[in-house]
Amino acid sequence: MKKYILSTSLLMSALVLSACGSDEAATDGEGGAEGVQEMTIKFSHVVAENTPKHQGALAMKEYIETESDGAIEVEIYPNSSLFGDQDEYQNLASNNVQFIAPDLTKFVGNNPQFNVPALPFMFDNDEEAIAFWDGEKGQEILGSLESDGVLGLSMWPNGGKHITNNERPIDSPDDFQGLKFRTQGGQVLEAIYSAMGAGSESIPFGELYTALDQGVVEGQENTFSNIESKKFDEVQDYMTIMNHTRVDYAVFTNTEFWESMNDETKEIVQAGLDEGTAVAREEATSLNEEALELIRDRGLVEIIELTPEQIEEFRTALEPIYDEFEDEIGADVYEAAREAAGQ
Ligand code: LMR
Protein backbone atom coordinates (compact mmCIF):
# COMPACT_ATOMS: atom_id res chain seq x y z
CA MET A 1 0.00 0.00 0.00
CA LYS A 2 2.82 2.34 0.95
CA LYS A 3 4.46 1.86 -2.43
CA TYR A 4 1.20 2.62 -4.16
CA ILE A 5 0.76 5.82 -2.21
CA LEU A 6 4.29 6.97 -2.94
CA SER A 7 4.11 6.14 -6.61
CA THR A 8 0.90 8.10 -6.96
CA SER A 9 1.76 10.99 -4.72
CA LEU A 10 1.85 13.46 -7.60
CA LEU A 11 -1.49 12.28 -8.84
CA MET A 12 -2.82 12.51 -5.31
CA SER A 13 -1.72 16.10 -4.98
CA ALA A 14 -3.70 16.84 -8.11
CA LEU A 15 -6.64 14.94 -6.69
CA VAL A 16 -6.50 16.92 -3.47
CA LEU A 17 -7.14 20.01 -5.50
CA SER A 18 -9.91 18.56 -7.59
CA ALA A 19 -11.62 16.52 -4.86
CA CYS A 20 -11.61 19.54 -2.63
CA GLY A 21 -13.31 21.75 -5.10
CA SER A 22 -10.09 23.65 -5.63
CA ASP A 23 -11.65 27.05 -6.06
CA GLU A 24 -8.64 28.82 -4.74
CA ALA A 25 -8.53 30.18 -1.31
CA ALA A 26 -7.62 33.82 -0.93
CA THR A 27 -3.89 34.04 -1.29
CA ASP A 28 -1.26 36.41 -0.01
CA GLY A 29 -0.20 37.17 -3.56
CA GLU A 30 3.07 35.35 -3.13
CA GLY A 31 1.79 31.86 -3.72
CA GLY A 32 1.02 31.00 -0.09
CA ALA A 33 -2.64 30.44 0.80
CA GLU A 34 -4.20 32.69 3.39
CA GLY A 35 -7.76 32.84 4.61
CA VAL A 36 -10.15 29.94 4.56
CA GLN A 37 -9.60 27.73 1.53
CA GLU A 38 -12.67 27.04 -0.60
CA MET A 39 -13.26 23.34 -0.85
CA THR A 40 -15.76 20.53 -0.87
CA ILE A 41 -15.14 17.79 1.65
CA LYS A 42 -16.77 14.40 1.19
CA PHE A 43 -17.70 12.25 4.23
CA SER A 44 -18.83 8.74 3.32
CA HIS A 45 -20.35 6.13 5.62
CA VAL A 46 -22.43 2.97 5.47
CA VAL A 47 -25.19 3.48 8.05
CA ALA A 48 -28.58 5.20 8.00
CA GLU A 49 -29.38 8.78 9.03
CA ASN A 50 -30.86 8.12 12.48
CA THR A 51 -27.61 6.78 13.93
CA PRO A 52 -24.84 8.25 16.11
CA LYS A 53 -22.40 8.30 13.19
CA HIS A 54 -24.66 10.27 10.88
CA GLN A 55 -25.65 12.69 13.64
CA GLY A 56 -21.95 13.30 14.37
CA ALA A 57 -21.26 13.87 10.67
CA LEU A 58 -24.18 16.33 10.43
CA ALA A 59 -22.91 18.33 13.42
CA MET A 60 -19.48 18.45 11.82
CA LYS A 61 -20.95 19.65 8.50
CA GLU A 62 -23.04 22.34 10.15
CA TYR A 63 -20.14 23.67 12.19
CA ILE A 64 -17.65 23.75 9.30
CA GLU A 65 -20.04 25.31 6.80
CA THR A 66 -21.17 28.00 9.26
CA GLU A 67 -17.75 28.86 10.61
CA SER A 68 -16.20 29.01 7.13
CA ASP A 69 -19.03 31.25 5.88
CA GLY A 70 -19.80 28.67 3.25
CA ALA A 71 -16.25 28.54 1.85
CA ILE A 72 -16.09 24.88 2.86
CA GLU A 73 -18.89 22.60 1.80
CA VAL A 74 -19.27 19.21 3.48
CA GLU A 75 -21.13 16.53 1.54
CA ILE A 76 -22.26 13.54 3.58
CA TYR A 77 -23.01 10.26 1.82
CA PRO A 78 -24.85 7.81 4.15
CA ASN A 79 -26.09 4.27 3.44
CA SER A 80 -23.01 3.24 1.37
CA SER A 81 -24.32 5.63 -1.31
CA LEU A 82 -20.81 6.73 -2.31
CA PHE A 83 -18.59 3.91 -1.07
CA GLY A 84 -19.30 0.77 0.96
CA ASP A 85 -17.27 -1.44 3.28
CA GLN A 86 -15.52 -2.97 0.29
CA ASP A 87 -14.05 0.19 -1.17
CA GLU A 88 -14.25 3.16 1.23
CA TYR A 89 -10.76 2.67 2.66
CA GLN A 90 -9.03 2.48 -0.74
CA ASN A 91 -10.92 5.57 -1.82
CA LEU A 92 -9.86 7.42 1.30
CA ALA A 93 -6.24 6.47 0.66
CA SER A 94 -6.69 7.79 -2.90
CA ASN A 95 -8.34 10.97 -1.55
CA ASN A 96 -11.57 10.39 -3.49
CA VAL A 97 -13.24 10.90 -0.13
CA GLN A 98 -11.80 12.96 2.73
CA PHE A 99 -13.51 11.40 5.77
CA ILE A 100 -14.82 7.94 6.59
CA ALA A 101 -15.82 6.56 10.00
CA PRO A 102 -15.73 2.77 9.75
CA ASP A 103 -16.24 0.19 12.45
CA LEU A 104 -12.79 -0.43 13.96
CA THR A 105 -13.08 -4.20 13.68
CA LYS A 106 -13.04 -3.85 9.90
CA PHE A 107 -9.33 -2.93 10.13
CA VAL A 108 -8.01 -5.99 11.92
CA GLY A 109 -6.32 -7.04 8.67
CA ASN A 110 -4.13 -3.92 8.92
CA ASN A 111 -3.56 -4.19 12.65
CA PRO A 112 -5.00 -6.96 14.88
CA GLN A 113 -5.23 -4.46 17.74
CA PHE A 114 -8.34 -3.05 16.08
CA ASN A 115 -10.00 -6.19 17.53
CA VAL A 116 -10.49 -4.42 20.87
CA PRO A 117 -14.26 -3.75 20.36
CA ALA A 118 -14.67 -7.50 19.68
CA LEU A 119 -13.12 -8.61 22.98
CA PRO A 120 -16.05 -10.34 24.71
CA PHE A 121 -17.66 -8.34 27.53
CA MET A 122 -14.64 -6.02 27.82
CA PHE A 123 -16.58 -2.74 27.98
CA ASP A 124 -19.95 -2.28 29.68
CA ASN A 125 -20.73 1.10 28.13
CA ASP A 126 -19.61 3.92 25.80
CA GLU A 127 -17.68 5.76 28.53
CA GLU A 128 -15.34 2.80 29.09
CA ALA A 129 -14.72 2.34 25.37
CA ILE A 130 -14.09 6.09 24.95
CA ALA A 131 -11.63 6.04 27.86
CA PHE A 132 -9.65 3.31 26.11
CA TRP A 133 -9.55 4.97 22.66
CA ASP A 134 -8.74 8.41 24.11
CA GLY A 135 -5.91 6.87 26.14
CA GLU A 136 -2.31 6.31 25.05
CA LYS A 137 -2.76 2.78 23.66
CA GLY A 138 -5.96 3.64 21.86
CA GLN A 139 -4.38 6.69 20.23
CA GLU A 140 -1.38 4.61 19.18
CA ILE A 141 -3.70 2.08 17.49
CA LEU A 142 -5.74 4.83 15.80
CA GLY A 143 -2.51 6.23 14.40
CA SER A 144 -1.25 2.92 13.08
CA LEU A 145 -2.42 3.36 9.47
CA GLU A 146 -0.07 6.22 8.72
CA SER A 147 1.93 4.20 6.21
CA ASP A 148 -1.25 3.97 4.09
CA GLY A 149 -1.49 7.78 4.06
CA VAL A 150 -4.40 7.61 6.51
CA LEU A 151 -4.76 9.51 9.81
CA GLY A 152 -6.98 8.25 12.65
CA LEU A 153 -8.37 11.43 14.20
CA SER A 154 -11.05 10.48 16.70
CA MET A 155 -13.12 7.63 18.09
CA TRP A 156 -16.90 7.86 17.81
CA PRO A 157 -18.93 5.27 19.73
CA ASN A 158 -22.04 3.47 18.56
CA GLY A 159 -22.65 0.93 21.30
CA GLY A 160 -22.96 -2.65 22.47
CA LYS A 161 -23.95 -5.36 19.98
CA HIS A 162 -26.82 -7.79 20.29
CA ILE A 163 -27.59 -11.02 18.49
CA THR A 164 -30.44 -11.48 16.04
CA ASN A 165 -31.32 -14.69 14.21
CA ASN A 166 -34.24 -16.30 12.46
CA GLU A 167 -33.88 -19.84 13.77
CA ARG A 168 -34.49 -19.97 17.54
CA PRO A 169 -34.50 -17.90 20.74
CA ILE A 170 -30.91 -17.79 22.01
CA ASP A 171 -30.29 -17.74 25.74
CA SER A 172 -27.27 -20.00 26.15
CA PRO A 173 -24.03 -20.70 24.23
CA ASP A 174 -25.44 -24.07 23.10
CA ASP A 175 -28.20 -22.32 21.17
CA PHE A 176 -25.59 -21.11 18.67
CA GLN A 177 -24.78 -24.67 17.56
CA GLY A 178 -24.96 -25.14 13.80
CA LEU A 179 -26.07 -21.59 12.96
CA LYS A 180 -24.16 -19.20 10.71
CA PHE A 181 -23.75 -15.52 11.58
CA ARG A 182 -22.62 -12.49 9.67
CA THR A 183 -19.81 -10.53 11.33
CA GLN A 184 -18.13 -7.22 10.58
CA GLY A 185 -14.93 -9.22 10.12
CA GLY A 186 -11.86 -10.25 12.03
CA GLN A 187 -10.36 -13.17 13.83
CA VAL A 188 -11.86 -12.47 17.25
CA LEU A 189 -15.47 -12.33 16.08
CA GLU A 190 -14.89 -15.51 14.10
CA ALA A 191 -13.44 -17.21 17.20
CA ILE A 192 -16.44 -16.13 19.29
CA TYR A 193 -18.83 -17.95 16.99
CA SER A 194 -16.68 -21.04 16.62
CA ALA A 195 -16.31 -21.24 20.44
CA MET A 196 -20.09 -21.66 20.54
CA GLY A 197 -20.29 -24.15 17.69
CA ALA A 198 -21.49 -21.64 15.09
CA GLY A 199 -20.08 -20.55 11.75
CA SER A 200 -19.51 -16.98 10.60
CA GLU A 201 -18.96 -14.97 7.48
CA SER A 202 -17.97 -11.36 6.96
CA ILE A 203 -20.45 -9.55 4.68
CA PRO A 204 -20.48 -5.81 3.84
CA PHE A 205 -23.06 -3.88 5.84
CA GLY A 206 -24.80 -2.69 2.67
CA GLU A 207 -25.51 -6.31 1.68
CA LEU A 208 -26.61 -7.55 5.10
CA TYR A 209 -30.38 -7.09 4.83
CA THR A 210 -30.49 -9.14 1.63
CA ALA A 211 -28.12 -11.79 3.05
CA LEU A 212 -30.43 -12.23 6.06
CA ASP A 213 -33.53 -12.20 3.89
CA GLN A 214 -32.13 -14.82 1.52
CA GLY A 215 -30.78 -17.05 4.30
CA VAL A 216 -27.10 -16.69 3.35
CA VAL A 217 -26.64 -16.45 7.13
CA GLU A 218 -29.16 -17.10 9.90
CA GLY A 219 -28.16 -14.20 12.09
CA GLN A 220 -25.92 -11.25 12.82
CA GLU A 221 -24.76 -9.03 15.69
CA ASN A 222 -25.28 -5.29 15.82
CA THR A 223 -26.30 -2.25 17.82
CA PHE A 224 -29.97 -1.43 18.34
CA SER A 225 -29.63 1.68 16.17
CA ASN A 226 -28.21 -0.31 13.25
CA ILE A 227 -30.80 -3.09 13.66
CA GLU A 228 -33.68 -0.62 13.83
CA SER A 229 -32.56 1.82 11.14
CA LYS A 230 -31.80 -0.95 8.64
CA LYS A 231 -34.96 -2.85 9.62
CA PHE A 232 -33.14 -6.14 10.18
CA ASP A 233 -36.06 -7.10 12.45
CA GLU A 234 -38.15 -7.48 9.28
CA VAL A 235 -36.00 -10.45 8.28
CA GLN A 236 -35.14 -11.85 11.73
CA ASP A 237 -37.36 -13.51 14.35
CA TYR A 238 -35.35 -13.29 17.58
CA MET A 239 -33.12 -10.72 19.24
CA THR A 240 -31.02 -11.51 22.31
CA ILE A 241 -29.78 -8.50 24.29
CA MET A 242 -26.13 -9.50 24.82
CA ASN A 243 -23.87 -6.42 24.89
CA HIS A 244 -20.96 -8.84 24.43
CA THR A 245 -19.03 -6.86 21.78
CA ARG A 246 -19.23 -3.31 20.41
CA VAL A 247 -19.43 -1.15 17.32
CA ASP A 248 -17.01 1.75 17.68
CA TYR A 249 -15.69 3.93 14.89
CA ALA A 250 -12.51 5.73 13.94
CA VAL A 251 -12.87 8.93 11.98
CA PHE A 252 -10.14 8.57 9.38
CA THR A 253 -8.87 11.20 6.98
CA ASN A 254 -6.39 11.28 4.13
CA THR A 255 -3.00 12.60 5.27
CA GLU A 256 -2.27 14.59 2.12
CA PHE A 257 -5.68 16.23 2.24
CA TRP A 258 -5.18 17.04 5.92
CA GLU A 259 -1.77 18.55 5.31
CA SER A 260 -2.96 20.51 2.28
CA MET A 261 -5.03 22.80 4.52
CA ASN A 262 -3.60 26.08 5.76
CA ASP A 263 -3.79 26.79 9.50
CA GLU A 264 -6.98 28.80 9.36
CA THR A 265 -8.81 26.17 7.34
CA LYS A 266 -7.53 23.26 9.41
CA GLU A 267 -8.57 24.99 12.62
CA ILE A 268 -12.18 25.15 11.41
CA VAL A 269 -12.19 21.56 10.15
CA GLN A 270 -10.59 20.32 13.40
CA ALA A 271 -13.12 22.24 15.50
CA GLY A 272 -15.91 20.81 13.32
CA LEU A 273 -14.57 17.33 13.92
CA ASP A 274 -14.49 18.03 17.67
CA GLU A 275 -18.11 19.14 17.47
CA GLY A 276 -19.03 15.95 15.59
CA THR A 277 -17.19 13.88 18.18
CA ALA A 278 -19.07 15.58 21.01
CA VAL A 279 -22.45 14.98 19.36
CA ALA A 280 -21.72 11.34 18.43
CA ARG A 281 -20.53 10.66 21.98
CA GLU A 282 -23.46 12.48 23.60
CA GLU A 283 -26.15 10.90 21.47
CA ALA A 284 -24.96 7.30 21.00
CA THR A 285 -26.56 5.87 24.15
CA SER A 286 -29.89 7.63 23.77
CA LEU A 287 -30.17 6.83 20.05
CA ASN A 288 -29.64 3.16 20.86
CA GLU A 289 -32.19 3.27 23.69
CA GLU A 290 -34.73 4.90 21.39
CA ALA A 291 -33.99 2.29 18.70
CA LEU A 292 -34.66 -0.54 21.18
CA GLU A 293 -38.03 1.01 22.00
CA LEU A 294 -38.86 1.28 18.28
CA ILE A 295 -37.93 -2.38 17.78
CA ARG A 296 -40.16 -3.32 20.74
CA ASP A 297 -43.02 -1.24 19.33
CA ARG A 298 -42.74 -2.80 15.89
CA GLY A 299 -43.04 -6.21 17.56
CA LEU A 300 -41.42 -8.13 14.69
CA VAL A 301 -38.80 -9.95 16.80
CA GLU A 302 -39.10 -11.85 20.05
CA ILE A 303 -36.74 -10.05 22.44
CA ILE A 304 -34.75 -12.23 24.83
CA GLU A 305 -33.37 -10.50 27.92
CA LEU A 306 -30.74 -12.57 29.70
CA THR A 307 -30.49 -13.06 33.46
CA PRO A 308 -27.13 -12.28 35.14
CA GLU A 309 -26.58 -16.07 35.41
CA GLN A 310 -27.13 -16.54 31.69
CA ILE A 311 -24.73 -13.70 30.89
CA GLU A 312 -22.18 -15.37 33.16
CA GLU A 313 -22.54 -18.55 31.11
CA PHE A 314 -21.61 -16.63 27.96
CA ARG A 315 -18.70 -14.90 29.71
CA THR A 316 -17.32 -18.27 30.78
CA ALA A 317 -17.76 -19.80 27.31
CA LEU A 318 -15.91 -16.88 25.70
CA GLU A 319 -13.16 -16.41 28.30
CA PRO A 320 -10.62 -18.61 26.39
CA ILE A 321 -10.68 -16.04 23.54
CA TYR A 322 -8.49 -13.78 25.69
CA ASP A 323 -5.66 -16.34 25.91
CA GLU A 324 -6.02 -17.25 22.27
CA PHE A 325 -5.39 -13.67 21.08
CA GLU A 326 -3.10 -12.30 23.77
CA ASP A 327 0.07 -12.61 21.67
CA GLU A 328 -1.52 -11.12 18.59
CA ILE A 329 -3.30 -8.20 20.27
CA GLY A 330 -0.83 -7.66 23.08
CA ALA A 331 -0.89 -7.96 26.87
CA ASP A 332 -0.31 -4.18 27.04
CA VAL A 333 -3.49 -3.56 25.03
CA TYR A 334 -5.48 -5.90 27.30
CA GLU A 335 -4.11 -4.09 30.32
CA ALA A 336 -5.02 -0.65 28.98
CA ALA A 337 -8.50 -1.85 28.00
CA ARG A 338 -9.09 -3.42 31.43
CA GLU A 339 -7.95 -0.24 33.10
CA ALA A 340 -10.33 1.84 30.97
CA ALA A 341 -13.09 -0.62 31.88
CA GLY A 342 -12.32 -0.23 35.57
CA GLN A 343 -11.42 -3.93 35.94
C1 LMR B 1 -21.73 -3.25 10.55
O1 LMR B 1 -21.06 -3.47 9.53
O2 LMR B 1 -22.56 -4.03 11.02
C2 LMR B 1 -21.53 -1.93 11.26
O3 LMR B 1 -20.21 -1.89 11.65
C3 LMR B 1 -21.86 -0.77 10.38
C4 LMR B 1 -21.52 0.53 11.03
O4 LMR B 1 -20.77 1.28 10.44
O5 LMR B 1 -22.06 0.79 12.11
Side-chain angles (χ1 to χ4, degrees):
M1 192 63 177
K2 188 170 187 176
K3 218 166 168 188
Y4 168 75
I5 296 294
L6 289 176
S7 66
T8 57
S9 62
L10 281 178
L11 174 64
M12 290 206 9
S13 306
L15 278 171
V16 167
L17 287 178
S18 65
C20 299
S22 75
D23 307 321
E24 293 316 338
T27 66
D28 61 7
E30 293 170 18
E34 259 181 19
V36 179
Q37 292 159 280
E38 284 190 23
M39 60 173 79
T40 301
I41 294 174
K42 293 187 167 78
F43 189 141
S44 171
H45 69 78
V46 300
V47 295
E49 285 87 344
N50 45 339
T51 55
K53 180 156 49 184
H54 191 75
Q55 295 309 311
L58 276 181
M60 187 172 161
K61 171 183 168 72
E62 200 179 309
Y63 182 95
I64 294 173
E65 290 184 347
T66 307
E67 293 302 312
S68 70
D69 269 334
I72 309 175
E73 195 187 338
V74 181
E75 295 175 351
I76 307 174
Y77 296 87
N79 294 305
S80 312
S81 56
L82 184 62
F83 300 117
D85 283 333
Q86 318 86 306
D87 54 3
E88 66 178 10
Y89 188 66
Q90 290 85 336
N91 278 288
L92 181 75
S94 308
N95 201 33
N96 294 328
V97 59
Q98 287 68 48
F99 288 98
I100 60 172
D103 182 332
L104 292 157
T105 54
K106 292 175 182 166
F107 290 86
V108 296
N110 304 59
N111 176 357
Q113 297 178 326
F114 282 114
N115 270 306
V116 167
L119 291 172
F121 300 105
M122 174 61 88
F123 302 121
D124 283 341
N125 52 47
D126 296 348
E127 288 68 33
E128 294 177 2
I130 291 168
F132 172 77
W133 291 104
D134 281 359
E136 198 183 326
K137 268 290 149 219
Q139 291 293 302
E140 197 181 299
I141 301 169
L142 285 185
S144 65
L145 302 177
E146 245 181 88
S147 61
D148 287 350
V150 167
L151 282 179
L153 296 174
S154 182
M155 172 274 200
W156 289 6
N158 183 328
K161 286 194 273 182
H162 312 284
I163 298 280
T164 65
N165 86 98
N166 57 15
E167 200 63 30
R168 60 182 83 109
I170 286 178
D171 62 21
S172 81
D174 283 346
D175 295 326
F176 278 84
Q177 288 283 343
L179 302 182
K180 191 167 173 195
F181 288 80
R182 176 269 181 176
T183 71
Q184 286 79 4
Q187 314 89 324
V188 174
L189 290 175
E190 197 181 317
I192 286 176
Y193 286 99
S194 66
M196 299 190 292
S200 63
E201 183 178 336
S202 143
I203 295 173
F205 188 65
E207 294 168 21
L208 181 51
Y209 183 97
T210 308
L212 293 168
D213 193 27
Q214 295 181 347
V216 177
V217 286
E218 279 92 28
Q220 63 90 44
E221 58 175 71
N222 234 308
T223 61
F224 296 132
S225 59
N226 279 349
I227 294 168
E228 189 282 322
S229 59
K230 286 295 179 187
K231 303 202 176 349
F232 296 148
D233 53 337
E234 285 179 357
V235 286
Q236 297 278 267
D237 295 328
Y238 307 98
M239 181 173 80
T240 303
I241 300 183
M242 289 267 286
N243 207 23
H244 61 307
T245 53
R246 292 184 54 84
V247 171
D248 288 315
Y249 307 118
V251 180
F252 287 129
T253 193
N254 176 288
T255 313
E256 282 206 44
F257 154 70
W258 192 252
E259 287 170 1
S260 74
M261 287 187 280
N262 64 24
D263 289 349
E264 212 174 325
T265 310
K266 196 186 280 182
E267 208 170 289
I268 293 174
V269 176
Q270 176 68 62
L273 172 67
D274 294 344
E275 185 65 23
T277 301
V279 167
R281 290 181 177 192
E282 272 161 33
E283 294 193 5
T285 302
S286 58
L287 281 169
N288 277 300
E289 284 168 0
E290 282 163 27
L292 173 59
E293 287 321 304
L294 287 169
I295 296 169
R296 277 192 211 283
D297 291 350
R298 284 209 287 257
L300 297 172
V301 282
E302 181 185 324
I303 299 177
I304 296 106
E305 305 199 33
L306 302 174
T307 63
E309 293 72 32
Q310 287 170 324
I311 291 182
E312 213 38 52
E313 224 190 307
F314 280 107
R315 265 185 207 278
T316 307
L318 299 178
E319 189 56 36
I321 305 272
Y322 280 89
D323 281 346
E324 193 180 334
F325 289 95
E326 180 160 347
D327 286 348
E328 213 171 329
I329 296 175
D332 54 338
V333 174
Y334 282 5
E335 198 186 317
R338 286 186 174 124
E339 199 184 320
Q343 294 172 19

